[in-house]
Amino acid sequence: MLSPDSLLARIGAPEDLKKLSDKELDQLADEMRGELIGVVGRRAAHFASNLGVVELCLALHLTFDFTEDRLIWDTGHQIYPHKLITGRAEELHTIRTKGGLMGYPNPAESPFDLFMTGHAGCAPSTALGLKLGDEIMGRPDRHSVAVIGDGALPSGIVFEAFNHAGGSQSKLLVILNDNKMSICPPVGGIANALDRARMSTTYNDWNKRVRSVLPTIPLVGETADRWLQQFKDAVKASLHHGMLFEELGFTYLGPIDGHDLKSVRSYLEKVKAMEGPILLHVLTNKGHGFEPAVKDPVKFHAPAPFMKAEDGIVPLKISTSQTYTDAVSAALFDVCRDDSRVVVLTAAMCEGNKLQKLRTSFPKQFFDVGICESHAVALAAGMAKAGARPVVDIYSTFLQRAYDQIFQEVALQNLPVVFCLDRAGLVGADRPTHHGSYDIASLRIFPNMVVMAPGDQRDVGPMLDFALGHTSPVAIRYPRANLHAVEREVQPIELGQAEIIDWETDGMIVACGAQLGACLQAAERLHKRYGLQVGVINARFIKPLDSRTICKAIEEAAFVLTVEEGCLPGGFGSAVLEAANDAGLPTAHVRRLGLPDRFILHAERDEQLAEVGLDVDGVTHAALELARAVGLDFTDLGPEPDPTTARQNGVAPAPAGRG
């Protein structure tokens, strides 16, 4: 909780900032960083990026009135300082917890959050849209500001917005928050250009010196400013930085020190009076004010909880569990070692996808294209056409940004590109923008596409081997979850072949993906507690579906329950119903369990699974409800799990009977 004596406790809204002196504003910045350190001491949260934008955030709110003006934070994980000064400081300790503040902008929390942003590069477009919309609606005096990072800058949509703004000469302020990082260091030609801009110390040092002595030379007023600007333009041209933006029609200013609050405010006041699109290049340090985060901004992008100590930090929670991401990363390392044709592409997610060892060991087989998912997929298509075996390793939620390239460049050409879809399903505190809810529904519709989901740890390596040996595109989806292994005699991976774990006739549960373990536990509970004999199938393939095995289950079992960690509309269960319909089978005794047709808010992953009925209790309850609906007789041998109303939201309506 905030100390009642702190300056931060006195800030109920941005207008309160204007009551503080320069010295008090510096103190407030320190208090804000202390509060951010305290939050991460309690739970995993985005950290280093938030420490880096404290002064920029204060300067923006001191300069503009965002009750009228517009502000979009691109991606949005650096939103914490903004939340602290827009009336949410007392609630910051609840961030990223169920029912608490969201770790990204959330319009439901505050009118100062205009969009629920979570994917990089969109802010210039939405900010330009807000500006043009305000003009259409008779509000031309409102300012519109987009803050984007240097990691997001190379995104194609950024330059689409720049092209429009520069051509129309609309009044738009884009602030380039340049901290030399996204989650990992940025890559590519634009990153190199920004490096040259940062390294032009001659220009920056000269700029500071001239401004300090300007009052002493016999050039005053507009003459001095004009002379200074002309000289700066000449130096800028000789050093090249900023010219790219100038050629696009933007006025480029900077780079400036983003931790010099007075200087940032001065520049913002100037750009308020300027016309046309402006790009203000602000240099910040990711982790500023906390030395461990400055030294290792990758580790401290979203660290596990820690306690601050005199000589650094003391981790409070160290996880030794292996995840599906670990398993895929290890399998990719092995295939790259054994086959030089295999290449791995990622979109600024080397750290998240745990590809550091692969990048170091096989640099010629690793490609980080930055936050440019469309380019990654089209690039992979070209590689595949040339005979390489590309693997595109991207979070499920981010692969959506390359949907057209999956269609046009990969599926339509029937090229052997492998997609590893990390974070498929629910992702916990990272909330709706990051859930991998839609990949099944979006990918299974494409001709030539094979879609797979490992049921457990033992499926991962064989599925990757199968995918790399296949002659068509293959997608493998897996969750943000700890690995588990089902004890069984593992059956080999064959195209379109499900794995029958146990066959029974009271009911069959068809598990699509890592819910296999929960389904087996539910089947065991149904037998021990209720005397029901329920079998389990590990679907493995979403497309092509094992229609023969699944239709046999529909014909022979009293009920069939499909379970998937993906959206119900168009998902795996829908594929099962389509197969049954094609075979002319009745399906009143078939029920689908998956993610409901709504956005799931932030919480712990286990809480989210329980909310939508995808935990053991939820699967058990859905099977019991279905067993009752089809008229099965069974004895309740113990207390039934206590399903909540919320769990029903992830279950398709129960049938009236078996038809």
Side-chain angles (χ1 to χ4, degrees):
M1 302 296 290
L2 295 178
S3 167
D5 298 327
S6 67
L7 286 173
L8 186 55
R10 291 160 47 186
I11 307 300
E15 62 187 23
D16 295 331
L17 297 174
K18 297 175 182 179
K19 303 172 186 176
L20 303 181
S21 66
D22 288 348
K23 183 177 180 180
E24 287 175 321
L25 286 169
D26 290 337
Q27 180 184 336
L28 177 63
D30 291 340
E31 290 182 7
M32 291 168 69
R33 287 194 169 90
E35 187 65 19
L36 295 175
I37 293 170
V39 166
V40 178
R42 293 185 286 269
R43 67 184 51 85
H46 290 105
F47 183 57
S49 56
N50 283 290
L51 293 178
V53 298
V54 170
E55 287 83 6
L56 175 58
C57 175
L58 289 172
L60 282 166
H61 282 283
L62 283 162
T63 306
F64 295 93
D65 176 10
F66 290 116
T67 61
E68 295 290 332
D69 297 327
R70 311 295 200 162
L71 174 62
I72 304 289
W73 294 90
D74 196 71
T75 307
H77 59 250
Q78 76 280 48
I79 197 75
Y80 296 17
H82 170 86
K83 294 199 179 202
L84 282 172
I85 59 175
T86 53
R88 290 169 278 181
E90 288 285 357
E91 300 175 82
L92 198 72
H93 69 282
T94 71
I95 205 158
R96 291 169 60 90
T97 62
K98 188 176 180 66
L101 294 180
M102 187 176 284
Y104 292 79
N106 184 5
E109 291 177 8
S110 170
F112 289 102
D113 297 1
L114 298 180
F115 279 80
M116 190 185 289
T117 54
H119 290 185
C122 300
S125 294
T126 51
L128 179 59
L130 285 164
K131 177 59 181 174
L132 295 176
D134 280 334
E135 291 177 352
I136 291 167
M137 300 303 294
R139 301 183 291 259
D141 294 333
R142 287 185 171 181
H143 298 275
S144 193
V145 183
V147 181
I148 66 169
D150 54 307
L153 183 63
S155 300
I157 191 174
V158 171
F159 285 89
E160 293 175 25
F162 281 10
N163 180 62
H164 185 183
S168 66
Q169 284 297 293
S170 301
K171 186 166 183 176
L172 173 71
L173 172 59
V174 177
I175 296 176
L176 173 57
N177 174 33
D178 182 0
N179 59 22
K180 297 182 284 186
M181 294 289 297
S182 53
I183 294 176
C184 298
V187 295
I190 293 175
N192 293 337
L194 293 180
D195 280 341
R196 290 193 294 272
R198 295 185 207 103
M199 294 173 66
S200 58
T201 54
T202 301
Y203 164 68
N204 288 315
D205 290 347
W206 172 89
N207 186 23
K208 291 179 181 178
R209 286 198 300 271
V210 168
R211 288 196 174 279
S212 67
V213 301
L214 192 58
T216 67
I217 61 178
L219 291 170
V220 294
E222 293 183 1
T223 304
D225 282 342
R226 191 181 312 114
W227 174 80
L228 179 63
Q229 187 60 48
Q230 289 172 350
F231 194 93
K232 285 172 63 179
D233 288 345
V235 175
K236 277 200 297 185
S238 68
L239 293 170
H240 300 294
H241 68 266
M243 290 300 102
L244 169 63
F245 308 109
E246 299 274 1
E247 291 297 325
L248 286 172
F250 275 69
T251 299
Y252 172 89
L253 298 173
I256 64 171
D257 182 357
H259 300 297
D260 183 341
L261 180 56
K262 187 175 182 180
S263 176
V264 177
R265 291 178 65 185
S266 174
Y267 270 89
L268 290 176
E269 288 291 350
K270 289 177 182 178
V271 300
K272 277 182 70 175
M274 297 171 66
E275 296 299 323
I278 300 160
L279 188 135
L280 178 60
H281 188 174
V282 178
L283 302 182
T284 61
N285 295 320
K286 200 168 184 180
H288 187 79
F290 187 65
E291 193 61 26
V294 173
K295 290 181 178 178
D296 194 349
V298 173
K299 176 181 176 181
F300 283 91
H301 173 74
F306 63 82
M307 182 173 64
K308 186 178 179 182
E310 288 186 7
D311 56 348
I313 66 165
V314 177
L316 298 180
K317 181 181 179 182
I318 300 176
S319 175
T320 58
S321 300
Q322 292 290 297
T323 65
Y324 279 89
T325 303
D326 291 313
V328 172
S329 174
L332 285 172
F333 183 91
D334 290 343
V335 296
C336 284
R337 179 191 58 208
D338 298 339
D339 188 347
S340 61
R341 298 176 306 153
V342 177
V343 294
V344 177
L345 300 91
T346 192
M349 295 305 298
C350 179
E351 182 78 13
N353 289 329
K354 300 189 177 181
L355 299 172
Q356 305 95 320
K357 181 180 177 183
L358 190 153
R359 176 184 60 189
T360 302
S361 301
F362 310 111
K364 293 183 179 180
Q365 292 170 259
F366 178 82
F367 297 85
D368 184 348
V369 301
I371 305 177
C372 302
E373 293 85 358
S374 296
H375 169 62
V377 173
L379 180 68
M383 291 175 168
K385 190 75 171 181
R389 298 312 306 260
V391 179
V392 179
D393 193 356
I394 292 180
Y395 289 9
S396 170
T397 184
F398 297 142
L399 190 66
Q400 294 165 169
R401 296 160 65 95
Y403 195 60
D404 189 60
Q405 286 66 43
I406 297 170
F407 161 41
Q408 287 280 324
E409 278 66 50
V410 177
L412 184 61
Q413 320 300 326
N414 197 21
L415 290 171
V417 175
V418 177
F419 297 95
C420 288
L421 277 59
D422 203 339
R423 271 52 166 192
L426 299 170
V427 296
D430 278 342
R431 51 107 212 199
T433 62
H434 283 53
H435 293 324
S437 305
Y438 309 110
D439 50 79
I440 293 177
S442 64
L443 293 179
R444 76 177 186 88
I445 64 173
F446 288 134
N448 300 323
M449 180 69 73
V450 173
V451 185
M452 310 169 72
D456 73 342
Q457 176 180 356
R458 297 181 178 187
D459 279 346
V460 173
M463 281 191 175
L464 182 61
D465 291 339
F466 169 87
L468 288 167
H470 197 58
T471 57
S472 295
V474 179
I476 306 172
R477 72 183 312 261
Y478 48 95
R480 184 183 193 177
N482 291 335
L483 283 169
H484 71 277
V486 173
E487 291 300 325
R488 67 197 191 281
E489 186 176 340
V490 180
Q491 300 169 24
I493 304 290
E494 297 181 12
L495 180 64
Q497 182 65 58
E499 181 184 30
I500 300 171
I501 307 296
D502 188 23
W503 191 275
E504 301 290 350
T505 56
D506 280 352
M508 292 294 294
I509 301 175
V510 187
C512 174
Q515 260 58 51
L516 177 63
C519 292
L520 286 166
Q521 291 180 59
E524 183 179 10
R525 183 183 294 178
L526 289 164
H527 174 59
K528 290 183 176 179
R529 188 173 291 174
Y530 304 101
L532 290 170
Q533 302 290 337
V534 178
V536 177
I537 296 172
N538 176 19
R540 283 184 167 172
F541 285 86
I542 297 157
K543 184 182 180 183
L545 188 71
D546 188 350
S547 300
R548 181 178 178 181
T549 297
I550 290 174
C551 285
K552 182 182 178 184
I554 292 173
E555 288 183 296
E556 295 185 2
F559 70 81
V560 173
L561 177 66
T562 67
V563 181
E564 61 190 298
E565 196 177 337
C567 65
L568 283 172
F572 173 75
S574 295
V576 168
L577 292 176
E578 292 163 11
N581 180 265
D582 290 343
L585 298 176
T587 56
H589 62 303
V590 179
R591 189 175 178 188
R592 299 170 298 132
L593 182 60
L595 301 183
D597 190 20
R598 62 179 175 84
F599 295 113
I600 309 300
L601 296 181
H602 54 287
E604 293 299 318
R605 176 175 155 79
D606 288 345
E607 292 175 320
Q608 292 170 333
L609 290 171
E611 177 184 336
V612 298
L614 286 174
D615 60 350
V616 177
D617 286 353
V619 175
T620 303
H621 173 69
L624 285 173
E625 188 180 65
L626 188 50
R628 291 191 183 100
V630 301
L632 282 180
D633 293 326
F634 59 89
T635 303
D636 190 343
L637 302 177
E640 182 178 337
D642 181 23
T644 64
T645 301
R647 286 179 188 154
Q648 308 311 305
N649 292 332
V651 185
R658 185 172 181 176

